[in-house]
Amino acid sequence: MKIAVYPGSFDPMTNGHIDLIRRGTELFDQIIVGVLENEDKKPLFNTDERVEMVREALLDLPSVRVQSFTGLLVNFMKSTHANVVVRGLRAVSDFEYEFQMALMNRELSPTVETIFMMPAVEYTYVSSRLVKEVCRLGGDVTRLVPQNVLVKLHERFGAPA
Ligand SMILES: Nc1ncnc2c1ncn2[C@@H]1O[C@H](COP(=O)(O)OP(=O)(O)OP(=O)(O)O)[C@@H](O)[C@H]1O
Ligand SMILES: [Mg+2]
């Protein structure tokens, strides 16, 4: 069984995340989306809401599970019996941080491999941060997030006029 973990904040999940997960289901028997709790980063949505949004958006993918975690990713990997980390690269700007994290995780757990995937070109500029910012200012993000996330964003910020 090839089990991969796709870790992130998913605050909230975007169509970029979903694009990556769909691609991943072609490569792995199971993908565990690991929603990092990090409440001290003051996320817009709490952990339960983020987990629920991911779960709802991926109901049609039976090989995907969603779980929250705290602390070190390598410890979460051990507890799930996964040995592959999936991360996304949108642009060169993602590279430096991702490269550093991947090598630190290898230092902590030499058997864990990190795999990088590229999204479809139309999602290369999409980030959770930007989606929240645009939505807060009244911009339309309909094409950038799944329907259930759009509903939650509009609950928080109001629907665009
Ligand atoms: N549109 C996207 N295409 C490809 N990879 C993505 C995309 N958005 C996020 N990722 C990747 O998914 C992983 C988890 O990302 P994360 O939850 O931090 O989302 P994010 O959009 O980067 O959020 P934030 O804007 O809060 O940093 C990271 O490896 C990130 O590079
Ligand atoms: Mg990010």
Side-chain angles (χ1 to χ4, degrees), residues 6 45 47 61 120 131 135:
Y6 179 36
F45 297 103
T47 308
L61 297 176
V131 161
C135 195

Side-chain angles (χ1 to χ4, degrees), residues 12-16 18 22 45 49 52-60 123 131 135 140-156 159-160:
M13 159 161 273
T14 69
N15 286 342
I18 292 178
R22 285 193 189 283
F45 297 103
E49 290 173 306
E52 190 48 39
M53 277 187 276
V54 175
R55 211 166 258 156
E56 234 183 280
L58 300 175
L59 280 177
D60 65 318
Y123 300 127
V131 161
C135 195
D140 182 6
V141 296
T142 307
R143 292 190 312 174
L144 309 182
V145 296
Q147 180 60 30
N148 66 313
V149 170
L150 189 68
V151 170
K152 295 281 284 183
L153 282 168
H154 288 168
E155 273 171 31
R156 289 299 161 97

Side-chain angles (χ1 to χ4, degrees), residues 82-160:
N83 54 5
V84 177
V85 178
V86 171
R87 295 285 287 178
L89 285 180
R90 285 162 287 199
V92 184
S93 50
D94 279 334
F95 179 79
E96 196 169 332
Y97 175 73
E98 293 291 343
F99 184 66
Q100 219 179 10
M101 288 298 288
L103 292 180
M104 180 54 87
N105 284 330
R106 179 178 286 165
E107 162 69 19
L108 298 175
S109 186
T111 57
V112 167
E113 288 297 339
T114 303
I115 303 281
F116 293 101
M117 296 182 67
M118 274 70 70
V121 171
E122 67 255 43
Y123 300 127
T124 48
Y125 67 96
V126 178
S127 73
S128 299
R129 184 191 58 77
L130 201 52
V131 161
K132 284 181 284 193
E133 193 172 323
V134 168
C135 195
R136 183 171 60 82
L137 297 171
D140 182 6
V141 296
T142 307
R143 292 190 312 174
L144 309 182
V145 296
Q147 180 60 30
N148 66 313
V149 170
L150 189 68
V151 170
K152 295 281 284 183
L153 282 168
H154 288 168
E155 273 171 31
R156 289 299 161 97
F157 296 127

